[in-house]
Amino acid sequence: MAGVSIDNISKKLQVKKIIRSMPNIPTQIGQGMTVFTASQEVDRKDLFIIQNLINTTGKSLFIENEEMINSSTAISGSGPAYVYYFINAIIDSAINLGFTKSEAEFLVQQTFLGSTQLQNRSNLSNLEWIEKVASKGGTTEAALGIFHSFDIKSKINEGIIQANARAKELGKLIDK
Ligand SMILES: O=C(O)[C@@H]1CCC=N1
């Protein structure tokens, strides 16, 4: 559950060795991203065992500062929903342009899959890949120009700040 602190878990369960983690939904297929932290009483050997266990569900990142669990909730925890939101918006646009629903889903799902795999396998940054796709005066530049003019990037940032604030708020409500 988002926001529940180690301190609260420790008090409620009366145990000292605690791992607090924020997984995400692709753990279901072994492609998850889990961020975790531990109470002082958890030693290196325990951590090693726990990390190996978590890694059976995807990738993991250990963090010392428990506060970063709230931040990771806003990024990797909620993140799949942001991705699905963007995919869905592009599918709707494809339908608006005349594709059938199944054609639109096919085009967009494969575009996301191919793009993220290409980026993963390269040393280029996202911005460098954008430059490669967007030729001067071309179609991609036309779309990106509209995204910039509405400052979509800062709107995304605002949403993520709100998710982080909500994780902190939930923690305070539960800790009461
Ligand atoms: O939305 C939520 O509260 C939970 C936390 C991360 C993903 N879902």
Side-chain angles (χ1 to χ4, degrees):
M1 199 173 175
V4 188
S5 66
I6 286 183
D7 201 38
N8 192 12
I9 300 169
S10 171
K11 278 185 192 135
K12 296 263 160 66
L13 299 181
Q14 292 291 306
V15 285
K16 293 216 163 4
K17 281 188 173 188
I18 293 163
I19 302 287
R20 181 179 164 196
S21 76
M22 176 45 64
N24 70 5
I25 213 159
T27 51
Q28 288 182 11
I29 56 155
Q31 293 290 341
M33 181 68 238
T34 299
V35 180
F36 70 107
T37 190
S39 58
Q40 293 297 326
E41 288 76 9
V42 175
D43 61 31
R44 281 182 167 275
K45 207 171 116 225
D46 296 328
L47 270 184
F48 182 73
I49 294 166
I50 292 295
Q51 187 150 28
N52 278 335
L53 185 67
I54 295 174
N55 285 350
T56 62
T57 67
K59 310 244 168 168
S60 64
L61 176 70
F62 173 75
I63 45 146
E64 298 269 356
N65 177 4
E66 189 183 356
E67 190 51 34
M68 291 306 289
I69 295 281
N70 287 332
S71 314
S72 65
T73 305
I75 300 293
S76 47
S78 302
Y82 311 152
V83 173
Y84 302 136
Y85 182 93
F86 194 44
I87 292 176
N88 202 47
I90 303 179
I91 289 173
D92 284 351
S93 298
I95 293 168
N96 286 340
L97 291 183
F99 289 104
T100 64
K101 188 167 180 280
S102 68
E103 285 170 344
E105 284 170 356
F106 183 46
L107 249 74
V108 180
Q109 305 285 11
Q110 181 55 25
T111 301
F112 267 78
L113 201 68
S115 307
T116 51
Q117 287 187 2
L118 177 65
Q119 206 277 345
N120 270 333
R121 287 184 206 178
S122 82
N123 292 321
L124 298 186
S125 69
N126 289 304
L127 287 179
E128 285 167 329
W129 276 115
I130 288 175
E131 271 181 29
K132 279 195 175 291
V133 181
S135 42
K136 281 271 163 287
T139 59
T140 314
E141 202 179 70
L144 294 176
I146 295 292
F147 296 167
H148 287 152
S149 73
F150 286 100
D151 208 0
I152 302 292
K153 194 172 170 238
S154 81
K155 300 285 179 274
I156 292 171
N157 187 42
E158 277 176 39
I160 289 175
I161 287 171
Q162 194 57 38
N164 187 36
R166 183 62 183 154
K168 287 184 189 172
E169 197 175 50
L170 286 173
K172 285 199 185 109
L173 286 173
I174 293 158
D175 281 353
K176 269 186 190 163

